[in-house]
Amino acid sequence: MSNQFQLFKRRRFSAMFFTQFLGAFNDNIFKQALILVLTYTAASKLGVEVSILNNLAAMLFILPYFLFSALAGQIADKYEKSKLTQFIKLLELVIMAVAAVGFVFEWYALLFVALFLMGTHSTFFGPIKYAYLPQAMKEDELVGANGLFQMGTSLAILVGMIVAGILTQLSQSLYWISATVLVVAVLGYLAARYIPNMPAMQPDLKINWNIITTSLATVRYLYSLPFLFFIILGNSWFWFYGATFLTQVPEFSKVILLGDESVVIFLLTLFSVGVSIGSVLCKTLTKNKVSLRLLPFGIAGLSIFAIDLYFSLSGLDINVNNDTLLSIGDLFNISGSWRVFADLFLLGFSGGLYIVPLYASMQAYAPKSHRARIVGANNIFNAIFMVTSAIFAIVILNVLGFTLPQLFLVTGLLNIVFGAFLYIKLNKHIKYAVIQTNDGIAP
């Protein structure tokens, strides 16, 4: 397909695209609204450090991926995907009702429960949407479809965070947030009703409900496929890397840039737009083939611009005469701020070049009968890496006493080491990788 945007004319693509877009959009309205409430209101009320609350929130959201991903993969392989998606979207509506109660009454414990439940919802939806794509798309559509999905996810994050920022500024903001997440959940369910039937890949599969043995069996199976194993390690590193940066954005906007909520939204916008552009360009740059040729450029960019972010932040000199926080307009006039903005945009752009080829390769090489379980294994490793990123940030910042710019520097240097290791391993195993899908898509 010459133009990947033509896929929006196909219901088999557009219905799932908008279902996942609205799901990610709702996730991020809720998560960002909660983080802003924790950063600017709850931390002082509860007497807890902002960094601890924000990293705890990140850990709670990702923990279900670790616990339930293998089970979710089995369910997605066993059952027809459109009806399964509709059921999961109904659960999202219930979870958002719980969140609404938490916001309205300012019950922070209930909001953390809702955050865990939203993570659980996303855990069960993930294997469905990523196993759906190679089943619903033609060979020459897979890279473009993945690029659009990654673009959609990034834009959903962006728009969700912007909406959350706007809602938190309104009078009676907690009521507005509550109403919005409920409405978006309803829209997500309606979009799911248009997803065409997609036959189960293994309808006779007997589900093992023991999440421990299921997870271990899924990981063992993945390890027997070395190329996929290292592809998934690469995917998971991206989520470690992204979580390390994005979780700290509210704090470094307030503490280093002395900025208000508009600065938080702007910085996240830069990163998200960068990821979107990098993702969409992957189809053109790889000539519409599943290929890892862009991976070295993504790895290099993720390190170069993280290291430069350390230097650009270290060179800033921001002084205010009182406790008033700066708006994004104020920051535009401060010398050196544009270098910070460019670094964040280019970090996102490099991330798009890095992650789309890895996801497309994972889908292309995954055995057809186990595709959703491979995605489940991917989510287990994503969860491990993201929880590790929260622990890593807490240790670096709160135990070792490093600054936020130093955290970014260390992460950029670690990326050089991991990126070199990953590229060497993938080059070694791609020579022997055997396509195990019945319809064989080769990179």
Side-chain angles (χ1 to χ4, degrees), residues 6-23:
Q6 294 292 318
L7 286 172
F8 283 109
K9 296 180 179 179
R10 311 283 192 267
R11 185 163 68 97
R12 58 190 165 87
F13 174 80
S14 58
M16 181 59 84
F17 176 89
F18 286 110
T19 300
Q20 71 90 26
F21 177 89
L22 289 165

Side-chain angles (χ1 to χ4, degrees), residues 417-429:
V417 177
F418 182 85
F421 163 79
L422 178 68
Y423 191 65
I424 290 169
K425 289 294 186 181
L426 289 177
N427 272 342
K428 174 183 176 182
H429 289 289

Side-chain angles (χ1 to χ4, degrees), residues 65-71 214-216 218-219 236 375-385:
Y65 286 86
F66 177 71
L67 296 176
F68 306 125
S69 285
L71 178 61
T214 299
S215 298
L216 291 175
T218 301
V219 171
S236 300
V375 178
N378 176 69
N379 289 344
I380 291 173
F381 279 92
N382 288 356
I384 293 171
F385 275 62

